[in-house]
Amino acid sequence: MEHKDKDIGSKSNKKYYVGALCWRFIVSIIAVLVIGAAVFTILTKFRHSHSPQSPSRPTNLVQKYASALELALQFFDVQKSGKLQNNRVWWRGDSGLKDGNESNLDLSKGMYDAGDLMKFGFPMAFTATVLSWAILEYGDHMDAVKQLQYALDSLKWITDYLVNAHPFADVLYIQVGDPEVDHNCWERPEDMTEERPLTQVNSSFPGTEVAAETAAALASASLVFMEINLSYSQILLGHAKQLFTFADTYKVSYSVSIPQVRKYYNSSGYWDELLWAGSWLYHATKDPSYLNYVTGQNENEFGSLGSLSWFSWDDKHAAAQVLLSRVNFFGARGISNEENLDLQMYRETAEILMCKLLPDSPTATTNRSESGLIWVVPWNSLQHSVASAFLAVLYSDYMLTSQTETLYCSGKLYKPVDLRKFAISQVEYVLGENPMRMSYLVGYGNHYPKNIHHRGSSIPVDAKTGCRDGFKWFDSPHPNPNVAFGALVGGPFFNETYNDFRNNSMQAEPTTYSSALLVALLSGLVATSSVELSF
């Protein structure tokens, strides 16, 4: 009996538990369906609002742009200072090994600015920011043509220098060498014997724009290295935050604090660099305080909203407006309606430039040569055309990825492909489709500048020269003995002529920052794909 009762109780309990489990299972299914429906609704609404696509693999590789990109990246090896690693330039050797010694710093790395042997921190930091941006947006394109690692190596060569140049929170070394001494010498970097004094900005002699640009460089680079070397990425971001605080706390132009810099890299103002750095720190940290800094807090003071500007080492307004447009295109968590409206205003300002660039737009700029090259100033004229083309192809890809079909320009509608066609027209001009029928990228094609204004390129490796007697090579009528592959020369005059003379520094001198802009442009055009929705 006992056994039977126990058995009956067991069956009764079993039925109870089975029934309970079935009920719980049914309730769970209903709950999952309800939650699933809610999630589907949210995602559908998000997709409808922002229309993002998953990033696609690069397709339609353009071989001529791949070859040009490979060349352009080689110029950074031409410009490297320090103890060289995996040197790809046969006529270059170690140099600048004692840079920074007077302050117990290792400033041997970094890159020489142009055809001289100076290290100017302001344009060098800009070079790093542009390289980082190119890698973040188009690293998959670079990888598809086997150039990504070279870009990463060049970027790190600069960021290593910038980190060492920032030994204390409120101290940043911004220059190595005396430009007056340097420009009175014509010698190979490997043969330098002159003193190379250091210049710094600090709390007593601030330099907002150079500190902010360096913050932008390190913040953007921290994103690049986040998945490659996390500890290095965190070091970069720590320095970026400190430098931004330094720049924002002591708002004084470095051109005021250190008047001697005006002769070479005079700043037109520091508001754009604060906007630029704050934008990059927002992307790097997702800290809403940085977004608030560039929107509600300061947009009217330094956003340059509604105004046209040209992207260059000195003016980052246009680039920052495009970078902030990215957030408006793709969205981000925790953005208030007010901030979204502010971002929309940045996007509308970016579109003023886009409409100016399109050649048949009702508001097309007159800063254009007869053959269609964007032309703003005679000195290093290609900088603005290449920079503008990079912003155009990037904006085009933002439109494509967000499924934004048209750009409105004063009554006329344009498609993303129109911006891309404009960008292609600029790079084709650089590569030889111009009245001179010459490539302005050294080593590309058969006809390119042979007498560029560049010390290392113009002096034979086995020449024994000092500071002054090297000028016999400067005055030589013969082509440079060492080809600086990948150098982008200054470019043509407005009448589209170019004088291939070594003493013509206005047209014939290459710079690292113009090369960075060309690398960015070519990386965007070498293939077709959507961009990442978030860095």
Side-chain angles (χ1 to χ4, degrees):
M1 289 286 297
E2 235 173 280
H3 179 70
K4 189 177 179 181
D5 288 344
K6 184 177 178 183
D7 188 56
I8 292 171
S10 296
K11 289 179 179 178
S12 177
N13 288 339
K14 185 175 182 180
K15 288 179 180 178
Y16 172 79
Y17 287 125
V18 169
L21 286 171
C22 287
W23 173 248
R24 289 177 183 172
F25 180 74
I26 292 168
V27 170
S28 298
I29 291 293
I30 293 170
V32 168
L33 288 172
V34 170
I35 293 171
V39 170
F40 177 78
T41 301
I42 291 170
L43 288 175
T44 302
K45 184 177 180 182
F46 179 81
R47 286 178 182 139
H48 179 71
S49 300
H50 300 283
S51 301
Q53 298 175 334
S54 298
S56 58
R57 294 182 63 82
T59 58
N60 303 321
L61 296 181
V62 183
Q63 187 53 51
K64 66 184 296 187
Y65 296 157
S67 300
L69 177 60
E70 181 179 0
L71 272 175
L73 281 163
Q74 285 186 40
F75 185 62
F76 296 120
D77 293 309
V78 170
Q79 297 301 98
K80 283 180 179 177
S81 168
K83 189 167 185 59
L84 302 183
Q85 303 164 8
N86 303 316
N87 184 16
R88 297 197 290 164
V89 183
W90 70 269
W91 48 270
R92 280 301 323 278
D94 298 344
S95 64
L97 298 179
K98 296 181 179 179
D99 285 356
N101 281 5
E102 67 180 68
S103 295
N104 296 315
L105 298 173
D106 179 7
L107 300 181
S108 59
K109 282 188 174 181
M111 294 186 186
Y112 300 118
D113 176 62
D116 54 15
L117 306 181
M118 289 295 301
K119 295 178 186 176
F120 291 113
F122 192 19
M124 194 195 304
F126 174 75
T127 299
T129 313
V130 173
L131 269 180
S132 293
W133 199 5
I135 294 168
L136 289 167
E137 301 282 11
Y138 297 121
D140 56 342
H141 292 192
M142 295 180 182
D143 196 32
V145 293
K146 299 180 173 55
Q147 297 304 308
L148 177 58
Q149 192 58 51
Y150 295 123
L152 290 168
D153 290 345
S154 295
L155 174 61
K156 191 171 185 296
W157 202 265
I158 298 176
T159 54
D160 284 352
Y161 168 89
L162 295 176
V163 166
N164 288 351
H166 181 228
F168 306 106
D170 294 350
V171 175
L172 176 66
Y173 286 84
I174 64 164
Q175 185 174 292
V176 178
D178 180 337
E180 297 302 321
V181 172
D182 181 90
H183 288 192
N184 279 298
C185 292
W186 194 265
E187 59 189 339
R188 299 176 68 246
E190 295 81 1
D191 298 330
M192 286 187 296
T193 57
E194 297 74 34
E195 293 293 321
R196 290 174 60 78
L198 307 179
T199 304
Q200 65 170 259
V201 292
N202 51 50
S203 56
S204 299
F205 297 93
T208 296
E209 54 274 274
V210 65
E213 181 60 58
T214 309
L218 298 178
S220 56
S222 75
L223 284 164
V224 171
F225 290 105
M226 187 177 294
E227 295 184 4
I228 301 171
N229 186 336
L230 181 59
S231 61
Y232 185 65
S233 171
Q234 291 171 335
I235 289 171
L236 297 178
L237 187 57
H239 282 276
K241 290 178 178 178
Q242 284 188 344
L243 283 163
F244 182 74
T245 300
F246 172 41
D248 190 46
T249 302
Y250 303 96
K251 291 189 181 76
V252 180
S253 171
Y254 93 137
S255 294
V256 173
S257 295
I258 310 169
Q260 57 267 35
V261 303
R262 296 176 190 169
K263 186 174 179 180
Y264 298 96
Y265 285 100
N266 184 41
S267 171
S268 61
Y270 53 71
W271 297 116
D272 54 316
E273 279 82 21
L274 287 172
L275 175 69
W276 183 232
S279 302
W280 276 114
L281 277 161
Y282 171 69
H283 280 285
T285 65
K286 301 300 185 285
D287 183 338
S289 67
Y290 290 115
L291 183 61
N292 180 256
Y293 181 89
V294 299
T295 54
Q297 189 177 336
N298 290 299
E299 64 169 349
N300 291 325
E301 188 169 9
F302 57 63
S304 195
L305 296 173
S307 300
L308 174 69
S309 61
W310 297 103
F311 184 29
S312 70
W313 65 263
D314 179 45
D315 192 339
K316 289 88 180 185
H317 278 115
Q321 289 153 4
V322 170
L323 183 61
L324 290 170
S325 296
R326 178 183 232 289
V327 185
N328 186 255
F329 270 116
F330 304 133
R333 291 180 181 176
I335 296 180
S336 68
N337 290 334
E338 291 79 7
E339 287 170 330
N340 230 351
L341 287 172
D342 293 336
L343 291 170
Q344 181 65 29
M345 292 176 69
Y346 279 116
R347 178 171 163 180
E348 289 172 4
T349 303
E351 291 185 351
I352 292 174
L353 174 62
M354 297 303 128
C355 292
K356 289 282 187 182
L357 297 177
L358 292 167
D360 64 341
S361 163
T363 58
T365 182
T366 57
N367 288 98
R368 202 184 308 262
S369 74
E370 187 175 341
S371 298
L373 181 73
I374 293 297
W375 198 97
V376 180
V377 294
W379 200 285
N380 194 14
S381 62
L382 287 176
Q383 178 189 189
H384 291 102
S385 50
V386 171
S388 298
F390 168 58
L391 294 184
V393 73
L394 192 55
Y395 204 84
S396 167
D397 286 340
Y398 290 171
M399 291 178 67
L400 282 170
T401 304
S402 65
Q403 296 181 8
T404 302
E405 293 184 359
T406 56
L407 169 68
Y408 179 80
C409 298
S410 297
K412 194 169 181 180
L413 296 178
Y414 293 90
K415 295 182 179 297
V417 69
D418 295 314
L419 288 171
R420 192 176 187 88
K421 285 178 180 177
F422 160 76
I424 289 172
S425 74
Q426 301 301 290
V427 81
E428 288 292 331
Y429 190 107
V430 169
L431 298 180
E433 291 296 323
N434 55 65
M436 296 292 293
R437 292 291 180 262
M438 70 181 298
S439 164
Y440 291 108
L441 179 66
V442 174
Y444 187 88
N446 297 320
H447 184 33
Y448 54 82
K450 304 295 196 302
N451 300 282
I452 69 170
H453 182 94
H454 191 279
R455 286 158 176 76
S457 174
S458 66
I459 302 174
V461 173
D462 57 357
K464 303 298 181 184
T465 60
C467 168
R468 297 294 300 172
D469 54 355
F471 275 100
K472 67 183 179 182
W473 303 108
F474 175 80
D475 296 325
S476 169
H478 303 294
N480 289 7
N482 310 315
V483 180
F485 287 109
L488 177 67
V489 295
F493 288 134
F494 185 67
N495 64 6
E496 303 188 279
T497 61
Y498 178 85
N499 300 310
D500 189 16
F501 299 114
R502 200 171 294 113
N503 63 0
N504 179 18
S505 55
M506 181 180 289
Q507 291 187 290
E509 185 171 19
T511 63
T512 51
Y513 48 90
S514 288
S515 287
L517 290 164
L518 181 61
V519 163
L521 172 58
L522 289 166
S523 297
L525 293 176
V526 74
T528 304
S529 72
S530 55
V531 295
E532 295 285 346
L533 301 185
S534 178
F535 296 140

